[in-house]
Amino acid sequence: METARSLTEEWKRSEPDIQVYLPKQDIYTGDNEHFLVFQSPKGEWLALWTQSSVEGHGDNHLVLARSRDQLNWSEPAYLIGSKPGEKGKQASWGFPVVADSGRIYIFYTKDIGIYDVDSQTTGTMGCIYSDDDGFSWTASEADIPMPRNRYDHPDPHVPRSWIAWQKPIRDSKGRWLTGYTQWSSLATYAGPPAGWYSKDSRSLFMRFENIDEGPDPSQLAITWLPEVGDGLEVPYPGQPELSVAQEPSLALLPDGRLFCVMRTYTGCIWYSLSADDGATWTKPEPLLYEDGGEPVKQPIASCPLYPLADGRFVLVFHNNDGHIGPYGPQHALYNRRPAYLSAGTYAPQSRQPIRFAPPKQFADTDGLTIGPKGTNEIATYPSLTEWEGRTVLWYPDRKYYLLGKYITEKWL
């Protein structure tokens, strides 16, 4: 049986090509996740993530590292959120929008000290922005207003429980769009019947209408979608009145439709389509490798879908239904591995308009746990870039190391 190497060598286990961040022996920097790499207006590369001593401890904050070549990365700079030795005032799950004006916005779940579902998902929508390529940042004086629905706490002073984690995409009209998860308030829903994985939840969307003009955050125009209904829902096994549909990932199809995949607790990925830029959606159904094929297995873990410049797609997932070795679907610390890739091809005549190739194992931890959370997961909450002929999946390894690995043609 393999054993963990020293922490200074263990990061090599998944055979990465790039190291972005290897934690120091510092409890403040031990948990690193929601790892989004994007290009700045002046062409540098920025890596944004949520950092804490350990997920759920109450000290989440956002940090940013920089690179000119995607190979050599600066030490991360603190942006906003809890500071060393502090709990509360958290900033969690930040996601960026680079406006045509050159302004960079980062939106995040902002802890205001009023909690409902938990301290790191109950919050307002905070915003910071930069006009100098991400070197300095200004916090918006006011939070971004979010409309409420029947799943929120009836007291409007209690914030919504929500997160967004993927980089937004452009819709068919070129507007920035992203998905987010909403968890039902404990005041409107009695609480999960089993563990955290059975929290009532659904997937919704937000579209930034005027952000490319670079307005002050208080002047942003946001359309909240879908226009009708409560969002995308997937029945929880054995209790169809309960929905578990989370962490939507979006891709724009060549025909202008949106393709959305979501994590669920059914043992597979589910998907939905929108032909009107997110205003309405088809009823979610299991994602298949192709029409009439097998479902794409997945535990309750992120399963992003990325479009490639050549027209193909890449699905990142874990290729098991939650059962792996001695572990069951509830054991998310241990069943989010290995990471697999599947190449997707647009299939305009098919009911499911992306056809996926057989999965290929991309990275693994060999089941070894490290880090403050004690997890063996890999490639949860990653991101993807294409630049100078290289496609890189940027991924957390056990929510500890932050790494990059080339997706070459052999993987596709």
Side-chain angles (χ1 to χ4, degrees), residues 197-208:
Y197 46 85
S198 61
K199 291 178 181 178
D200 188 60
S201 56
R202 47 207 35 82
S203 292
L204 301 97
F205 308 89
M206 65 181 88
R207 185 173 67 220
F208 297 90

Side-chain angles (χ1 to χ4, degrees), residues 1-320:
M1 178 178 178
E2 291 195 71
T3 57
R5 314 167 201 179
S6 71
L7 291 180
T8 57
E9 295 290 321
E10 180 60 26
W11 65 270
K12 299 177 182 178
R13 183 172 296 278
S14 62
E15 300 181 343
D17 298 297
I18 304 167
Q19 61 184 75
V20 177
Y21 181 66
L22 307 181
K24 308 298 186 293
Q25 295 300 312
D26 178 349
I27 62 169
Y28 182 63
T29 64
D31 192 293
N32 300 283
E33 53 185 309
H34 284 231
F35 181 33
L36 303 182
V37 176
F38 62 102
Q39 196 163 30
S40 77
K42 294 184 179 179
E44 291 198 358
W45 291 94
L46 305 180
L48 169 71
W49 69 91
T50 296
Q51 187 177 77
S52 65
S53 60
V54 59
E55 184 179 4
H57 184 68
D59 58 359
N60 288 356
H61 49 277
L62 304 182
V63 297
L64 190 78
R66 309 180 68 92
S67 175
R68 293 182 176 178
D69 58 7
Q70 292 194 344
L71 298 175
N72 301 286
W73 290 86
S74 70
E75 287 295 308
Y78 165 91
L79 295 180
I80 196 165
S82 302
K83 293 183 177 179
E86 178 181 69
K87 283 194 177 184
K89 300 180 181 179
Q90 296 178 96
S92 308
W93 329 129
F95 66 94
V97 178
V98 178
D100 287 349
S101 68
R103 174 169 282 184
I104 307 171
Y105 299 83
I106 293 176
F107 303 93
Y108 62 95
T109 304
K110 180 179 177 180
D111 173 3
I112 63 169
I114 301 174
Y115 306 128
D116 186 357
V117 175
D118 61 45
S119 70
Q120 62 181 358
T121 59
T122 299
T124 58
M125 186 170 172
C127 177
I128 59 174
Y129 59 94
S130 173
D131 293 318
D132 61 1
D133 220 48
F135 284 98
S136 63
W137 295 85
T138 300
S140 174
E141 293 184 3
D143 297 332
I144 308 299
M146 300 184 77
R148 301 175 75 86
N149 61 30
R150 64 192 180 101
Y151 295 104
D152 292 310
H153 198 287
D155 182 348
H157 294 98
V158 178
R160 309 184 82 197
S161 293
W162 70 283
I163 68 167
W165 75 274
Q166 284 242 274
K167 294 182 292 185
I169 67 164
R170 299 275 191 179
D171 71 5
S172 69
K173 295 181 176 63
R175 301 166 295 188
W176 289 111
L177 175 78
T178 193
Y180 68 99
T181 305
Q182 178 192 3
W183 283 273
S184 295
S185 168
L186 298 179
T188 60
Y189 164 66
W196 61 269
Y197 46 85
S198 61
K199 291 178 181 178
D200 188 60
S201 56
R202 47 207 35 82
S203 292
L204 301 97
F205 308 89
M206 65 181 88
R207 185 173 67 220
F208 297 90
E209 304 287 358
N210 65 340
I211 199 167
D212 276 324
E213 301 166 15
D216 183 84
S218 65
Q219 300 300 311
L220 284 168
I222 302 176
T223 299
W224 301 88
L225 302 167
E227 292 179 348
V228 178
D230 299 318
L232 302 182
E233 300 178 333
V234 175
Y236 179 77
Q239 293 186 241
E241 73 282 0
L242 176 71
S243 170
V244 175
Q246 304 168 354
E247 297 175 355
S249 176
L250 292 163
L252 182 65
L253 298 176
D255 62 11
R257 287 183 292 172
L258 293 168
F259 194 102
C260 175
V261 295
M262 298 163 286
R263 81 176 194 180
T264 75
Y265 197 66
T266 65
C268 65
I269 300 170
W270 285 53
Y271 83 99
S272 179
L273 293 162
S274 175
D276 51 15
D277 288 320
T280 61
W281 292 86
T282 61
K283 184 178 180 180
E285 55 190 287
L287 185 71
L288 310 178
Y289 281 95
E290 59 183 353
D291 284 356
E294 293 294 316
V296 180
K297 294 179 181 179
Q298 178 70 350
I300 186 165
S302 65
C303 46
L305 178 68
Y306 300 112
L308 299 178
D310 65 7
R312 290 181 292 181
F313 301 86
V314 174
L315 182 69
V316 182
F317 62 114
H318 297 94
N319 198 32
N320 72 74

